[in-house]
Amino acid sequence: PSQLAWAVSLNRFWLWTPMSGHLRNGPPGLKAISVPRKAADAAKSECETAFSASQSNGKHRAIEVGKPYFDRGTNQPAHSISDLPEIESLIRTAHAGFGHAEPPWDRINIIIRSYRKGGRLTPHIDRPDLFGEDVYTCVLANTSQSKLTFHAPRHKKWGDSKVEHRVPEAPGLCVHLTGPARTEWKHEVPTLASGDRLSVSWRFYHQQPDQIK
């Protein structure tokens, strides 16, 4: 079998993989693949070096790469993708695994996120007015119990297990969001009670950021 292992829709299907076990009832438009662990580990090491160089601290740290979306929150300018070759390689591998075209690097926004105890990512939808349909996330490490979690749009109360979908995270797991998973189901990383989590997400501006009014 291919090193990329598997690429499946998580919507209304049972799935068995060595990492995830059974999954069902995921948001429509949520897909996942597993990239080689070696690629994930190389990207993880590169990210840790970048965070060390930034000397940033806190429960939830972030570094941007490519075209910036926010730099006030990180107090760091966006890095160039050419400075992070392992991240670039990881993204190319993920796109190949999903059967997607070469990324439009001139419009990419990459956010590397490091979570510690007490850190979280609040429920949100990536802005469809700024970014295109395709949004990706790859988990590089997770020693916590907090996973990327989706919430069905028809319910207002967060935390209702009947309307949640928790992604079975493991190093190298990459997800692709499109359709309702992208624009209707809010997603979050709940507060970490312990452990750490490291991930890289990327999406693409509709147009060059300096052309957006």
Side-chain angles (χ1 to χ4, degrees), residues 95-173:
H95 275 244
F98 284 115
H100 296 171
E102 177 78 3
W105 298 105
D106 62 326
R107 293 187 286 109
I108 197 169
N109 170 255
I110 305 168
I111 303 179
I112 304 167
R113 297 184 183 276
S114 173
Y115 304 80
R116 297 168 175 168
K117 181 180 178 180
R120 66 175 299 203
L121 181 65
T122 57
H124 70 284
I125 291 173
D126 296 78
R127 293 181 57 180
D129 58 324
L130 289 182
F131 299 106
E133 181 71 7
D134 301 297
V135 176
Y136 304 82
T137 293
C138 188
V139 178
L140 304 181
N142 192 352
T143 60
S144 77
Q145 296 299 311
S146 295
K147 318 291 185 185
L148 179 63
T149 302
F150 289 81
H151 300 277
R154 62 183 180 277
H155 287 263
K156 296 180 179 179
K157 181 181 178 181
W158 298 113
D160 185 343
S161 61
K162 294 182 180 179
V163 295
E164 279 190 354
H165 179 77
R166 300 177 74 232
V167 173
E169 295 188 357
L173 180 75

Side-chain angles (χ1 to χ4, degrees), residues 6 8 10 12-16 20-26 32 165-168:
W6 49 280
V8 294
L10 301 185
R12 300 188 182 93
F13 287 92
W14 288 94
L15 166 70
W16 169 260
S20 66
H22 291 291
L23 301 175
R24 65 175 178 177
N25 298 327
H165 179 77
R166 300 177 74 232
V167 173

